[in-house]
């Protein structure tokens, strides 16, 4: 039975571990560098224009946003990383919140948004390893596919797979939040993970 991502409801933001949801529904955690298009990917997936807020703003970078899909799973929007303009205090807050969330055992599946144009950054590699260490399957979304020439797609996907050291079981999905490419493939990968 597929998940209907149109049936989405914002539940709450968490700024500290006491705010984490622990009701047993599977949590699909979306992570990505600031500006990679994480909000745009989420909005595309749930068919809303502005559900996840597009455009990071300083001071709002250290919160986890929970959306419930069909009362069956959570789409968890993790705070973006690598945003140049945040203070050290803000970065520390980000680190503490993320460490607590990754240690909580609450993540069912990791969804990592990377830029289809570029080699994954050191931060991307670290994030992938956090998911692996947490024992999660990972789905990687290579966003901004519309910016690539056709001939670049294959080699770039190979590079992303290699640099992030994805395993056979981890899906890599070429995606364009702008055009809509990969939306059905992403929905299918998330459903298939849910069904085990
Ligand atoms: P976030 O910081 O990761 O949540 O990124 P946003 O969703 O706010 O997007 C950052 C910028 O990238 C915005 O200007 C988006 O319009 C743009 N963007 C997001 N997805 C795509 C895409 O698939 N293609 C292109 N060309 N631009 C995109």
């Amino acid at each position: 039975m597929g998940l209907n991502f149109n049936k989405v409801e914002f539940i709450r933001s968490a700024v500290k571990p006491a705010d984490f949801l622990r009701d047993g529904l599977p949590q699909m955690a979306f992570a990505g560098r600031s500006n990679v298009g994480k909000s745009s990917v989420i909005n595309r997936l749930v068919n809303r224009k502005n559900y996840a807020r597009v455009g990071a703003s300083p001071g709002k970078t250290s919160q986890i946003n929970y959306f419930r899909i069909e009362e069956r799973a959570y789409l968890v929007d993790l705070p973006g990383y690598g945003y140049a303009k945040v203070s050290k205090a803000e970065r520390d807050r980000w680190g503490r919140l993320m460490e607590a969330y990754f240690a909580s055992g609450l993540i069912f599946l990791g969804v990592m948004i990377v830029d289809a144009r570029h080699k994954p950054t050191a931060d991307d590699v670290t994030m992938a390893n956090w998911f692996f260490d947490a024992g999660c399957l990972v789905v990687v979304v290579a966003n901004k596919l519309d910016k690539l020439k056709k001939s670049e797609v294959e080699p770039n996907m190979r590079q992303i797979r290699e640099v992030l050291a994805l395993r056979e079981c981890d899906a890599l999905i070429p995606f364009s939040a702008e055009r809509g490419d990969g939306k059905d493939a992403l929905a299918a990968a998330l459903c298939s993970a849910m069904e085990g």
Side-chain angles (χ1 to χ4, degrees):
M1 196 172 59
L3 265 183
N4 183 351
F5 285 92
N6 295 328
K7 295 199 178 152
V8 59
E9 192 184 353
F10 174 75
I11 303 296
R12 70 148 76 132
S13 296
V15 296
K16 56 184 190 305
D19 303 332
F20 293 168
L21 293 176
R22 303 168 187 278
D23 61 6
L25 286 189
Q27 302 191 5
M28 305 180 282
F30 283 57
R33 193 165 45 76
S34 292
N35 225 35
V36 71
K38 177 163 53 67
S39 311
S40 305
V41 169
I42 293 171
N43 288 329
R44 172 62 73 174
L45 182 65
V46 303
N47 278 318
R48 305 285 174 103
K49 270 249 149 18
N50 230 329
Y51 216 59
R53 194 181 28 83
V54 172
S57 63
K60 288 262 179 156
T61 53
S62 297
Q63 61 183 37
I64 293 176
N65 293 313
Y66 291 93
F67 302 90
R68 196 169 54 205
I69 311 289
E70 260 198 284
E71 320 217 337
R72 288 172 55 207
Y74 290 111
L75 190 167
V76 183
D77 184 8
L78 297 177
Y81 47 87
Y83 191 60
K85 288 184 204 143
V86 301
S87 64
K88 171 153 192 328
E90 182 74 15
R91 254 200 314 276
D92 290 348
R93 228 182 349 263
W94 180 93
R96 282 195 300 275
L97 186 68
M98 291 289 268
E99 266 173 38
Y101 185 61
F102 275 82
S104 70
L106 290 164
I107 310 177
F108 170 72
L109 174 74
V111 182
M112 274 198 56
I113 323 297
V114 298
D115 194 317
R117 293 171 294 180
H118 308 303
K119 183 176 165 187
T121 66
D123 286 343
D124 292 331
V125 173
T126 300
M127 186 57 57
N129 285 325
W130 281 20
F131 282 120
F132 297 152
D133 292 347
C136 299
L137 273 182
V138 174
V139 173
V140 177
V141 174
N143 190 38
K144 309 200 183 183
L145 185 70
D146 54 284
K147 300 260 202 183
L148 252 62
K149 296 197 203 95
K150 257 212 157 79
S151 61
E152 295 172 320
V153 176
E154 195 47 50
N156 285 25
M157 293 307 120
R158 206 173 317 124
Q159 174 172 254
I160 290 168
R161 228 178 217 292
E162 267 170 36
V163 174
L164 293 180
L166 298 186
R167 306 153 301 187
E168 199 74 30
C169 56
D170 302 315
L172 171 61
I173 300 171
F175 199 95
S176 166
E178 191 156 295
R179 274 192 329 216
D181 316 48
K183 185 194 145 185
D184 294 342
L186 175 57
L190 301 181
C191 291
S192 127
M194 286 269 300
E195 280 149 21

